[in-house]
Amino acid sequence: MLEDRIRNKELLSRVMSAEEAAMLIKDGMNIGTSGFTPSGYPKAVPLALAKRVRETGERIRIGLFTGASVGDELDGELSRTGIIAKRLPYQTNESIRDYTNNGGCEFLDMHLSHVPQYAKYGFLGKIDIAIIEAVAITEEGHIIPSTSIGCSPTFVQMAEKVIVEINTSQPLDLEGMADIYIPDNPPNRKPIPIERVDQRIGKPYITCGVDKIAAIVVTDIIDNVRPLAPIDDISERISGHLIDFLEHEVKKGRLPQNLLPLQSGVGSVANAVLAGLLKSKFENLVCYTEVIQDSMLDLLDSGKALFASGTSITPSQEGLVRFKENIKKYKEKIILRPQEISNNPEVIRRLGVIAMNTAIEADIYGNINSTNIFGSRMMNGIGGSGDFTRNAYISIFTTPSTAKNGDISSIVPMVSHHDHTEHDVMVIITEQGVADLRGLSPKERAKVIIENCAHPDFKPMLKDYFKRAQSGKYKHIPHILSEALSWHHRFLKTGTMKIW
Amino acid sequence: MLEDRIRNKELLSRVMSAEEAAMLIKDGMNIGTSGFTPSGYPKAVPLALAKRVRETGERIRIGLFTGASVGDELDGELSRTGIIAKRLPYQTNESIRDYTNNGGCEFLDMHLSHVPQYAKYGFLGKIDIAIIEAVAITEEGHIIPSTSIGCSPTFVQMAEKVIVEINTSQPLDLEGMADIYIPDNPPNRKPIPIERVDQRIGKPYITCGVDKIAAIVVTDIIDNVRPLAPIDDISERISGHLIDFLEHEVKKGRLPQNLLPLQSGVGSVANAVLAGLLKSKFENLVCYTEVIQDSMLDLLDSGKALFASGTSITPSQEGLVRFKENIKKYKEKIILRPQEISNNPEVIRRLGVIAMNTAIEADIYGNINSTNIFGSRMMNGIGGSGDFTRNAYISIFTTPSTAKNGDISSIVPMVSHHDHTEHDVMVIITEQGVADLRGLSPKERAKVIIENCAHPDFKPMLKDYFKRAQSGKYKHIPHILSEALSWHHRFLKTGTMKIW
């Protein structure tokens, strides 16, 4: 029954085809959409827009602002048709990644907690249209979001017009999972009143109003979720080291028995870590994170975790089935918040979150590259890793010690792009071991990172660099600037970082 | 009357000479002291310790933890006598800077807001003794701090024993200026209830207790403050650009008429900026910053600024006289807070602070080096610049476009050390002009930074680098890794970054 989904009679007359709704989008506009990880993003309207541009050759170039990554119907189609001129703040789609690296669009890689407030402050320009996937619209014209919150509340607030995609593949039972709280702008901002991960502080809908809704499109296209990353041997070893580290911290009295709220990035290693927690002796865990994936559902199902707060639910195809079947149960254990809250430094520092994120590479002094391979090639973006790392109780980065069949060392003299600096990184873990950097100076860090984390193939080269660098004039962070990035340069020239 | 300063009779018996108190300090200890900028740090005890080591040749190596920089009696004397083995989190003293760069001690360069909480979490090891400069001790054995708060409350809390230096050169009227609030550790931490800069949320003393005080030393050594940095032509032009920028933001409706709370670093440019505000048409300003210097007293005296919150007062010799003479008036307009509060991301983001800090160098993509000249040579440390920049409403970095008589360009292809990444920096200002980076991609930033901020002598070289880098395979952040740090390398070899 469409009336269950669109509860205001006047709005029923604004239901139209995706093609008609897409006609609202004009060249030069900034479009803000729902979506965080390939979850809860609009699909029908972008598909229609891309189809039109393909068929008519019309020139449309837009700014596309989202919560984080979105699916192929949006990032993929709009980049393959050259529609995206500017993109922020994060992406994981192969087409837009290539498009960005080939210079097809200007990509702005932002801390996810910054996006909503910069939009509200007027720093990102005008937002012309917001396109929001929803499970329903209330009688007052407010929007019940689907499986991600991201920046949707802010984009709706700032946009001139709103297009709602009612997605009937998303269960109406999602209603009540969202908790929408938007801080006022300074100087009128108040403390965000979250002291526990399971606290509700806002409303179950995105405030919008009947007048602002310019079009409603009804669709049933299912989220183009990514398959579950398999857990390989390396990931399992990293997970083992991480669990050992946490157990050691509990033993030392620096963490409570049930730890502190967990944040976890996504991917194979993150999956392995959460799977490791499932087998661990830890109990009564809680999560304050961005994305809730299969492995977190496992923790909730098993009773190991009591509660998870995030900004999106992105299970695999199989996980999605499980989620939908048990949604009433999950609604008691999951809150979805705007990314301004899920990623807020205030809340993260107060709760004392344990941040676990993945690195592309780390250097011997503890700097982390999370985004750009060889300094120039955008992978995904910094995402929420900076929001969590800087404010965490303990910040942990994981990475396999090598890449490309062993030709790339993930531990290098100097990272080729800096996302997290030596001031922010507490622990680095590879399958080789754990480098606990807390309280260590740069030179002390170098010793423990090389010794505990580097792959044996590269350890002698790293030791050699570090030793020669220390014979230089300035010994605080010893570097040989003419060599610091030579490992990357060598790989680009020869296909390996190795020198023999 | 000593009884005005030491109000507990039992404690009068613990008054001893600095030499006797210094005997409590043993090899291998970690010592936490008061002091933030050369203000309110202990002087008599470190002088006595250094004298003893000089005279007896006794081996004493300690970890020295402070709020931020301290004066020569502490950092200078203890580094010249080789007593400091480890130092954190910041310094500005020439002797310890050389000592650090020569490898004399391990220096840990930390975000200032992190220091107290990492100490409380047990991440920095045991703190054996806290040495705190005070104007008085209450009957309950609580400490009335002098002109800086810094980490003193936390060091007192965590230390096994406390040595108090009662400094009679510090006016007793300082009592009431401090507002001491220490957040609980997670998971019991509450929101910090500051919504306006002039709000008091804590106590006027540092909680200690009679039993913990092991020694009291009475001294009258005056803070070894730094002379006022003169305002040169370059600084004045930077200040002019900054004021113009703020006026433009008000005009565009992105800032209120009276701006938002100001944070300002220290030094010549910062002085010029605050002097510029004094001459500007802005009114009813407030400051939420770290250090209150002469130029901020000027703003308060003129009525341009209504209130200033900081963690220390560090005027010049002349300013110190003015401050002491008018202390009752200033007490109504100044609050001194622990650095965990003055630099707290929660409060900074909530209040919407305008952060103004200085850079050593910036690169064409907007990364900032605040700490290490040529990547290895420690200058002062990151201080609070990261706490403020990441969480500011608007984050601004200033630097003259050249250094060393024009042989060094402050705008380079890639900074030689990263303290603030491309994700955090909104505005860069040199005497050449303003680069407003908000909403810009890396390549868009490069154009505006080169065009508006680089010195004409280096502009063609920067354009050439940027152009050639863009012909590479990956165009997100175009770099030529074999050249990215070559400007620094060239200076080290030839004494200039110029190629002709």
Side-chain angles (χ1 to χ4, degrees):
Chain A
M1 290 293 290
L2 200 55
E3 285 76 10
D4 292 346
R5 300 271 189 172
I6 305 169
R7 299 169 194 165
N8 177 293
K9 281 203 182 120
E10 191 189 335
L11 283 177
L12 283 170
S13 68
R14 291 182 216 162
V15 174
M16 60 183 80
S17 69
E19 289 70 22
E20 287 172 298
M23 289 304 293
L24 294 170
I25 300 170
K26 314 281 185 204
D27 186 42
M29 280 186 168
N30 287 330
I31 309 294
T33 80
S34 62
F36 193 107
T37 60
S39 164
Y41 56 96
K43 303 161 196 75
V45 175
L47 284 174
L49 178 67
K51 186 161 171 269
R52 180 171 108 224
V53 165
R54 253 199 204 99
E55 289 175 358
T56 65
E58 185 183 347
R59 182 199 152 86
I60 301 191
R61 298 271 291 165
I62 63 167
L64 176 61
F65 307 168
T66 63
S69 58
V70 291
D72 193 71
E73 301 89 341
L74 184 48
D75 260 346
E77 277 294 291
L78 298 200
S79 58
R80 288 189 295 268
T81 46
I83 292 174
I84 300 175
K86 179 165 267 181
R87 179 78 177 91
L88 64 82
Y90 186 83
Q91 48 71 37
T92 56
N93 176 276
E94 210 171 311
S95 291
I96 196 166
R97 186 183 294 142
D98 289 347
Y99 182 69
T100 299
N101 287 315
N102 294 333
C105 73
E106 299 301 319
F107 176 61
L108 180 45
D109 178 13
M110 295 175 68
H111 296 297
L112 297 184
S113 76
H114 279 171
V115 184
Q117 71 176 34
Y118 291 1
K120 279 184 293 181
Y121 297 167
F123 297 171
L124 302 178
K126 185 183 166 193
I127 295 174
D128 298 282
I129 295 177
I131 314 178
I132 308 295
E133 181 177 280
V135 295
I137 304 173
T138 70
E139 210 181 323
E140 298 77 20
H142 302 322
I143 298 167
I144 313 283
S146 63
T147 44
S148 72
I149 313 299
C151 289
S152 301
T154 302
F155 291 156
V156 167
Q157 184 185 330
M158 299 305 295
E160 204 168 279
K161 294 175 188 171
V162 175
I163 301 173
V164 180
E165 278 198 14
I166 296 285
N167 193 318
T168 56
S169 83
Q170 299 275 27
L172 203 45
D173 273 326
L174 278 167
E175 188 169 356
M177 198 173 267
D179 183 60
I180 312 294
Y181 174 98
I182 305 267
D184 286 333
N185 284 357
N188 302 313
R189 190 171 285 188
K190 305 273 175 254
I192 300 168
I194 294 178
E195 294 175 33
R196 297 186 325 273
V197 300
D198 61 355
Q199 239 172 306
R200 291 187 171 273
I201 62 169
K203 295 177 177 156
Y205 54 77
I206 295 167
T207 303
C208 180
V210 174
D211 294 348
K212 211 168 191 175
I213 297 174
I216 300 170
V217 173
V218 180
T219 179
D220 63 357
I221 309 173
I222 291 175
D223 272 339
N224 194 347
V225 294
R226 287 172 294 183
L228 211 57
I231 298 178
D232 57 16
D233 174 53
I234 297 277
S235 303
E236 209 147 345
R237 282 160 65 191
I238 292 173
S239 165
H241 291 313
L242 198 151
I243 306 275
D244 287 349
F245 170 79
L246 294 175
E247 282 174 357
H248 179 256
E249 289 301 297
V250 172
K251 210 172 287 170
K252 288 281 179 186
R254 290 189 290 253
L255 276 177
Q257 289 280 351
N258 67 332
L259 304 179
L260 284 165
L262 301 168
Q263 176 262 336
S264 169
V266 298
S268 165
V269 174
N271 243 337
V273 167
L274 295 180
L277 284 168
L278 192 64
K279 287 181 282 178
S280 76
K281 56 186 182 195
F282 293 119
E283 288 184 355
N284 301 319
L285 302 170
V286 293
C287 305
Y288 196 81
T289 191
E290 294 173 333
V291 187
I292 294 165
Q293 294 189 291
D294 294 58
S295 42
M296 215 165 265
L297 297 182
D298 293 339
L299 283 173
L300 291 172
D301 287 348
S302 71
K304 279 276 182 189
L306 304 177
F307 207 91
S309 166
T311 189
S312 90
I313 296 181
T314 320
S316 64
Q317 294 290 7
E318 312 85 83
L320 202 57
V321 173
R322 166 161 54 136
F323 174 73
K324 287 181 181 172
E325 278 171 3
N326 298 284
I327 189 160
K328 288 203 167 109
K329 189 186 73 185
Y330 287 125
K331 219 151 69 174
E332 288 166 19
K333 297 182 177 183
I334 293 175
I335 291 179
L336 297 184
R337 309 180 188 275
Q339 72 197 63
E340 189 166 6
I341 305 301
S342 66
N343 286 37
N344 198 288
E346 169 175 345
V347 183
I348 293 165
R349 201 173 280 218
R350 183 183 303 144
L351 297 177
V353 172
I354 300 173
M356 304 179 288
N357 290 287
T358 54
I360 289 175
E361 58 180 358
D363 70 28
I364 58 174
Y365 297 118
N367 298 285
I368 296 286
N369 176 4
S370 301
T371 58
N372 281 270
I373 297 173
F374 304 119
S376 295
R377 184 185 178 190
M378 171 51 60
M379 192 64 198
N380 302 328
I382 191 167
S385 60
D387 295 323
F388 284 95
T389 294
R390 172 77 63 86
N391 298 292
Y393 187 91
I394 297 181
S395 64
I396 301 168
F397 280 92
T398 58
T399 178
S401 70
T402 62
K404 289 274 175 201
N405 301 316
D407 280 316
I408 290 178
S409 175
S410 306
I411 310 294
V412 290
M414 181 187 274
V415 288
S416 59
H417 185 269
H418 290 67
D419 295 292
H420 309 283
T421 72
E422 51 149 345
H423 313 288
D424 291 307
V425 179
M426 291 192 199
V427 180
I428 296 174
I429 301 179
T430 69
E431 83 286 356
Q432 301 292 322
V434 177
D436 179 356
L437 311 178
R438 290 173 297 174
L440 301 189
S441 74
K443 291 193 291 291
E444 291 170 331
R445 278 181 234 141
K447 279 174 208 150
V448 67
I449 292 172
I450 296 172
E451 202 49 63
N452 297 3
C453 293
H455 192 277
D457 285 357
F458 292 101
K459 225 182 245 191
M461 285 169 63
L462 289 165
K463 283 184 178 169
D464 174 62
Y465 177 85
F466 180 52
K467 189 178 166 191
R468 284 185 296 113
Q470 285 179 88
S471 68
K473 194 168 173 196
Y474 300 115
K475 299 181 201 301
H476 175 58
I477 302 187
H479 263 308
I480 305 165
L481 289 184
S482 58
E483 266 186 52
L485 298 172
S486 65
W487 292 33
H488 303 87
H489 186 60
R490 184 160 54 245
F491 180 87
L492 290 172
K493 290 276 175 201
T494 69
T496 182
M497 283 187 175
K498 292 178 180 166
I499 42 174
W500 53 87
Chain B
M1 290 292 291
L2 199 57
E3 285 77 10
D4 290 347
R5 301 273 189 170
I6 304 170
R7 299 170 194 163
N8 178 294
K9 283 202 181 121
E10 191 189 334
L11 283 177
L12 284 169
S13 69
R14 291 182 217 164
V15 174
M16 58 183 82
S17 70
E19 288 70 22
E20 287 171 298
M23 288 304 292
L24 294 171
I25 301 171
K26 314 282 183 203
D27 186 43
M29 279 186 169
N30 287 329
I31 309 293
T33 80
S34 63
F36 192 107
T37 60
S39 165
Y41 56 96
K43 303 161 195 74
V45 174
L47 284 174
L49 177 67
K51 185 159 170 271
R52 182 172 106 222
V53 166
R54 251 196 206 101
E55 290 175 357
T56 65
E58 186 183 346
R59 180 198 154 86
I60 300 192
R61 299 272 290 165
I62 63 166
L64 176 61
F65 307 167
T66 63
S69 57
V70 290
D72 193 70
E73 301 89 340
L74 183 47
D75 260 345
E77 277 294 290
L78 297 201
S79 58
R80 289 190 294 270
T81 45
I83 292 174
I84 300 176
K86 178 164 268 182
R87 178 76 176 91
L88 64 84
Y90 186 84
Q91 49 70 35
T92 56
N93 176 276
E94 211 170 309
S95 291
I96 196 167
R97 186 183 294 141
D98 290 347
Y99 181 69
T100 299
N101 286 315
N102 294 334
C105 72
E106 298 301 318
F107 177 60
L108 180 45
D109 178 14
M110 294 175 70
H111 297 297
L112 298 185
S113 76
H114 278 171
V115 185
Q117 71 177 32
Y118 291 0
K120 279 185 293 180
Y121 297 168
F123 296 172
L124 303 177
K126 184 182 168 195
I127 296 174
D128 298 283
I129 295 178
I131 314 178
I132 308 296
E133 181 177 279
V135 296
I137 303 174
T138 70
E139 212 183 322
E140 298 76 21
H142 302 322
I143 298 167
I144 313 284
S146 63
T147 45
S148 72
I149 313 299
C151 289
S152 301
T154 302
F155 291 156
V156 167
Q157 185 185 329
M158 299 306 294
E160 205 169 279
K161 294 176 186 170
V162 176
I163 301 173
V164 180
E165 278 198 14
I166 295 285
N167 193 319
T168 56
S169 83
Q170 298 275 27
L172 204 43
D173 272 328
L174 278 168
E175 188 168 357
M177 197 172 268
D179 184 59
I180 312 294
Y181 174 97
I182 303 267
D184 285 333
N185 284 356
N188 302 314
R189 191 172 283 188
K190 305 274 173 251
I192 299 168
I194 295 178
E195 295 175 34
R196 297 185 326 273
V197 301
D198 60 356
Q199 241 173 304
R200 290 186 172 273
I201 61 169
K203 297 179 175 154
Y205 54 77
I206 295 167
T207 302
C208 179
V210 173
D211 293 347
K212 211 167 189 175
I213 297 175
I216 299 170
V217 173
V218 181
T219 179
D220 62 358
I221 309 173
I222 292 174
D223 272 338
N224 194 346
V225 294
R226 286 171 294 183
L228 210 57
I231 297 179
D232 58 16
D233 174 53
I234 296 276
S235 302
E236 207 147 346
R237 283 160 66 194
I238 291 173
S239 165
H241 291 312
L242 198 151
I243 306 275
D244 288 350
F245 170 79
L246 293 175
E247 282 174 356
H248 180 256
E249 288 302 297
V250 172
K251 210 172 287 169
K252 288 283 179 186
R254 288 189 292 251
L255 276 177
Q257 290 280 351
N258 67 333
L259 304 178
L260 284 166
L262 302 168
Q263 175 261 335
S264 169
V266 299
S268 166
V269 173
N271 241 337
V273 167
L274 294 180
L277 283 169
L278 192 65
K279 288 181 281 179
S280 76
K281 56 185 181 194
F282 293 117
E283 288 184 353
N284 302 319
L285 301 171
V286 293
C287 304
Y288 197 82
T289 192
E290 293 173 336
V291 186
I292 294 166
Q293 293 190 291
D294 294 60
S295 43
M296 214 164 265
L297 296 182
D298 293 339
L299 284 173
L300 291 171
D301 287 348
S302 70
K304 279 276 181 189
L306 304 177
F307 206 92
S309 165
T311 189
S312 89
I313 297 180
T314 319
S316 64
Q317 294 290 5
E318 313 87 84
L320 201 57
V321 174
R322 165 161 55 134
F323 174 74
K324 287 181 182 175
E325 278 171 4
N326 297 283
I327 189 159
K328 288 205 168 105
K329 189 185 75 184
Y330 286 126
K331 218 152 68 173
E332 289 167 18
K333 297 182 176 182
I334 293 174
I335 292 180
L336 296 185
R337 308 179 188 277
Q339 72 196 63
E340 189 165 8
I341 305 301
S342 66
N343 286 39
N344 198 289
E346 168 174 344
V347 182
I348 293 165
R349 199 172 282 217
R350 183 183 303 145
L351 297 177
V353 171
I354 299 174
M356 305 179 288
N357 291 286
T358 54
I360 289 174
E361 60 179 358
D363 71 29
I364 57 174
Y365 297 117
N367 299 285
I368 297 287
N369 176 3
S370 301
T371 58
N372 281 270
I373 297 174
F374 304 120
S376 296
R377 183 186 178 187
M378 171 51 59
M379 192 63 198
N380 301 328
I382 191 167
S385 60
D387 295 323
F388 284 96
T389 294
R390 171 77 61 88
N391 298 292
Y393 188 92
I394 297 181
S395 65
I396 302 169
F397 280 92
T398 57
T399 178
S401 70
T402 62
K404 289 271 173 201
N405 301 316
D407 280 315
I408 289 179
S409 175
S410 306
I411 310 294
V412 290
M414 182 188 273
V415 290
S416 58
H417 185 268
H418 290 67
D419 294 293
H420 309 282
T421 73
E422 51 149 347
H423 314 288
D424 291 307
V425 179
M426 290 193 199
V427 180
I428 296 174
I429 301 179
T430 70
E431 82 288 354
Q432 301 291 322
V434 177
D436 180 356
L437 310 179
R438 291 172 297 174
L440 301 189
S441 73
K443 291 193 291 291
E444 291 171 332
R445 279 181 233 141
K447 280 175 206 148
V448 67
I449 292 171
I450 295 172
E451 202 49 64
N452 297 3
C453 293
H455 191 278
D457 284 357
F458 291 101
K459 227 183 244 192
M461 284 169 63
L462 289 165
K463 283 185 178 169
D464 174 62
Y465 177 84
F466 180 51
K467 190 178 166 194
R468 286 185 295 113
Q470 285 179 89
S471 68
K473 193 168 175 197
Y474 300 115
K475 299 180 201 303
H476 175 58
I477 302 186
H479 264 307
I480 305 165
L481 288 184
S482 57
E483 264 187 51
L485 298 172
S486 65
W487 293 34
H488 303 86
H489 187 62
R490 183 159 56 243
F491 181 89
L492 290 173
K493 290 276 177 202
T494 68
T496 182
M497 283 187 176
K498 292 178 179 164
I499 43 174
W500 53 86

